[in-house]
Amino acid sequence: AQSVSQHNHHVILSEAASLELGCNYSYGGTVNLFWYVQYPGQHLQLLLKYFSGDPLVKGIKGFEAEFIKSKFSFNLRKPSVQWSDTAEYFCAVNRERGSQGNLIFGKGTKLSVKP
Amino acid sequence: DSGVTQTPKHLITATGQRVTLRCSPRSGDLSVYWYQQSLDQGLQFLIQYYNGEERAKGNILERFSAQQFPDLHSELNLSSLELGDSALYFCASSVTPQGETQYFGPGTRLLVL
């Protein structure tokens, strides 16, 4: 069965620090990969997605992610975080060209940015 | 604003009761997904509909059911509610059934007392 692992449960950073959140998935076939963000009390918003092509994907708010196929990883990065990035971040996958599109989510990583 | 709407925003009810959650997808989206977010289980897929037909089932309990109507809005019915059903229920929509990009609604927070 497909699964998604996010290595860090809670990350605490100071403003201007660099961020890297790990995500690994297990699935033998080709997948689509996503990062969603959930600000406190709000719904999930799509940060970025990877379907194919350049493995370095740029998203909104200065986030980027790199797909490394050999490592089954899709890590999220941001060079300099801001207090407003405080949120929970979810990595998700679904099967490319699958008959159904449901997302499999990781458990999430809470990011707290200290001003 | 994702364009996906969900009502109600909050729901408080008692064990054994039945509730209905409603979702309207983004204009033009034919596929609707329901997810449950709880502290212990995280975000879990419940069920998917595409153009009125059930497409996929995830970890949905037998006490739960859903449907998608001709106008494409969807309802999730939860019955014989238990304390453990307290959670945030999200609806998402996408254009195709493969769900390349899913847009999430604001969620319904259900509290079962």
Side-chain angles (χ1 to χ4, degrees):
Chain A
Q2 284 176 280
S3 67
V4 177
S5 298
Q6 291 184 241
H7 316 301
N8 310 100
H9 180 62
H10 192 184
V11 172
I12 303 171
L13 295 172
S14 298
E15 273 194 316
S18 65
L19 170 73
E20 180 157 3
L21 301 182
C23 172
N24 286 89
Y25 65 93
S26 74
Y27 179 64
T30 308
V31 296
N32 299 317
L33 296 151
F34 307 82
W35 276 97
Y36 281 85
V37 61
Q38 187 176 28
Y39 297 102
Q42 293 192 28
H43 62 285
L44 289 153
Q45 297 175 41
L46 182 65
L47 265 183
L48 47 80
K49 59 189 178 186
Y50 174 79
F51 294 159
S52 64
D54 187 345
L56 188 59
V57 179
K58 293 200 186 302
I60 60 170
K61 302 177 193 259
F63 286 91
E64 65 179 31
E66 185 176 13
F67 170 52
I68 303 179
K69 192 174 180 180
S70 59
K71 294 185 178 179
F72 296 88
S73 72
F74 189 55
N75 292 353
L76 181 71
R77 300 195 290 245
K78 187 170 184 179
S80 175
V81 295
Q82 301 171 318
W83 176 79
S84 57
D85 293 323
T86 295
E88 191 156 15
Y89 293 81
F90 293 91
C91 181
V93 305
N94 68 6
R95 283 177 290 181
E96 190 197 43
R97 291 191 293 272
S99 61
Q100 62 213 42
N102 58 283
L103 293 167
I104 310 293
F105 283 92
K107 293 280 189 191
T109 296
K110 268 201 178 88
L111 171 66
S112 299
V113 180
K114 298 184 292 186
Chain B
D1 184 2
S2 65
V4 180
T5 60
Q6 287 187 250
T7 56
K9 200 167 179 176
H10 300 279
L11 203 45
I12 302 174
T13 188
T15 54
Q17 294 298 304
R18 173 190 164 97
V19 296
T20 298
L21 314 184
R22 185 189 166 104
C23 166
S24 292
R26 288 189 329 151
S27 176
D29 285 358
L30 298 178
S31 199
V32 168
Y33 309 77
W34 286 97
Y35 293 88
Q36 179 193 58
Q37 186 179 32
S38 62
L39 280 173
D40 51 343
Q41 298 290 329
L43 263 161
Q44 297 228 307
F45 166 67
L46 295 177
I47 196 163
Q48 177 195 4
Y49 278 81
Y50 176 71
N51 206 18
E53 300 287 328
E54 183 184 301
R55 188 82 178 193
K57 253 181 173 173
N59 298 323
I60 188 165
L61 300 170
E62 282 192 17
R63 300 183 283 109
F64 296 1
S65 65
Q67 57 186 125
Q68 186 179 27
F69 294 86
D71 66 351
L72 301 176
H73 90 271
S74 177
E75 291 181 357
L76 179 67
N77 301 297
L78 316 176
S79 61
S80 303
L81 284 167
E82 302 175 1
L83 296 177
D85 298 327
S86 296
L88 200 47
Y89 291 85
F90 285 111
C91 165
S93 72
S94 66
V95 175
T96 71
Q98 286 77 31
E100 290 89 356
T101 302
Q102 292 179 33
Y103 294 90
F104 282 75
T108 293
R109 187 171 293 279
L110 173 66
L111 181 59
V112 182
L113 299 173

